[in-house]
Amino acid sequence: MLLENIGTSVLVSGNQLPELHQLMVEAASILNIDAPDLYLRQSPVPNAYTLAISGKKPFVVVHTSLVELLSRKELQAVLAHELGHLKCDHGLWLTYANILTLGAYSIPGLGGLIAQQLEEQLFRWLRAAELTCDRAALLVARDPKVVISVLMKLAGGCPSMADQLNVDAFLDQARSYEKASSSPVGWYIRNAQTRQLSHPLPVLRAREIDEWSKSPEYQSLLKRLKWVNSVQNV
């Protein structure tokens, strides 16, 4: 992966795409984590991902189409989301979970059934991990509408119509989905729709980040971050 990034992407630094580099440095500072290497890759699919390999410096890859789709604040929220994966060592825990699941398949008899149950729990954990990283994005952005706008644009945004997208309308859509899926039949359909997904549905992520932004936990973390940053700047 390292050679692939060096060979096919642009390594972002202080003298290469410095604005993007500064967004990463600022986000890493707020989350109190060392900034990983950042690569910009040409791709029509708006996406970003991170990878940490034992003994090597972790890196984040951002696709060019994502940069074109998002504002600078939104792009920094995406970088913070990826930093959240590194901060929580999600890659390490995912590796352990995959090893455990593969091991279950080798057990005679009930191994397949056990592995299927483990896979279902793994997907549930992956979805929860994404919500955790959305919270990291909010801690950096400090504006839930920025994070929700990212989710909305990833769900159905395009650069030419970005100025017509409405975050409040998207939140109303999220509440409508929640209401529609609250019945027994709706719950069953929702569960069938999401159980094999590694990421929660965008509307569910939007609702979750909106609710968490109003929580005492978020306000407490925000105050703590402000205090830590003020001490570091002394």
Side-chain angles (χ1 to χ4, degrees):
M1 288 294 291
L2 176 61
L3 287 177
E4 181 182 354
N5 285 329
I6 295 175
T8 63
S9 308
V10 175
L11 176 60
V12 177
S13 66
N15 58 10
Q16 180 69 277
L17 301 170
E19 185 178 352
L20 188 55
H21 173 72
Q22 187 60 29
L23 292 177
M24 172 62 86
V25 170
E26 289 176 358
S29 176
I30 292 171
L31 295 176
N32 194 26
I33 183 175
D34 292 335
D37 285 337
L38 176 61
Y39 292 90
L40 184 63
R41 172 170 293 183
Q42 188 69 240
S43 174
V45 180
N47 192 24
Y49 56 90
T50 185
L51 184 64
I53 302 173
S54 179
K56 297 185 181 297
K57 188 175 182 179
F59 61 83
V60 172
V61 177
V62 175
H63 289 174
T64 51
S65 54
L66 187 66
V67 176
E68 294 171 355
L69 179 63
L70 304 180
S71 70
R72 290 298 177 261
K73 287 185 177 180
E74 292 166 352
L75 186 56
Q76 188 173 54
V78 170
L79 296 176
H81 176 100
E82 298 305 321
L83 289 172
H85 284 301
L86 296 175
K87 182 80 173 179
C88 297
D89 284 326
H90 285 158
L92 177 64
W93 292 110
L94 178 59
T95 299
Y96 288 154
N98 283 327
I99 292 173
L100 184 63
T101 302
L102 289 173
Y105 272 114
S106 65
I107 300 174
L110 296 176
L113 181 61
I114 295 172
Q116 288 177 6
Q117 293 297 318
L118 288 173
E119 283 182 345
E120 185 171 334
Q121 294 303 315
L122 175 58
F123 277 114
R124 184 175 297 177
W125 178 84
L126 286 171
R127 293 192 294 272
E130 292 301 321
L131 296 178
T132 297
C133 293
D134 286 345
R135 294 181 176 188
L138 179 57
L139 288 172
V140 171
R142 305 189 183 186
D143 182 353
K145 287 193 172 184
V146 171
V147 181
I148 295 169
S149 181
V150 172
L151 299 169
M152 176 177 61
K153 288 181 177 180
L154 289 175
C158 61
S160 63
M161 302 183 72
D163 60 338
Q164 298 183 47
L165 290 169
N166 186 315
V167 168
D168 292 327
F170 192 66
L171 279 173
D172 287 340
Q173 179 182 333
R175 297 184 188 103
S176 297
Y177 181 88
E178 185 70 17
K179 183 178 180 180
S181 61
S182 61
S183 67
V185 174
W187 178 88
Y188 177 82
I189 294 173
R190 170 177 165 176
N191 188 54
Q193 185 181 23
T194 61
R195 64 187 302 175
Q196 293 297 315
L197 296 179
S198 61
H199 289 58
L201 297 176
V203 290
L204 296 180
R205 293 172 69 179
R207 186 211 62 191
E208 287 291 335
I209 207 65
D210 180 57
E211 291 184 356
W212 192 66
S213 70
K214 302 170 185 174
S215 69
E217 180 185 18
Y218 169 66
Q219 297 301 327
S220 176
L221 283 171
L222 202 56
K223 290 179 181 178
R224 192 183 309 171
L225 275 176
K226 289 179 179 178
W227 180 82
V228 170
N229 290 335
S230 66
V231 170
Q232 290 176 341
N233 292 330
V234 171

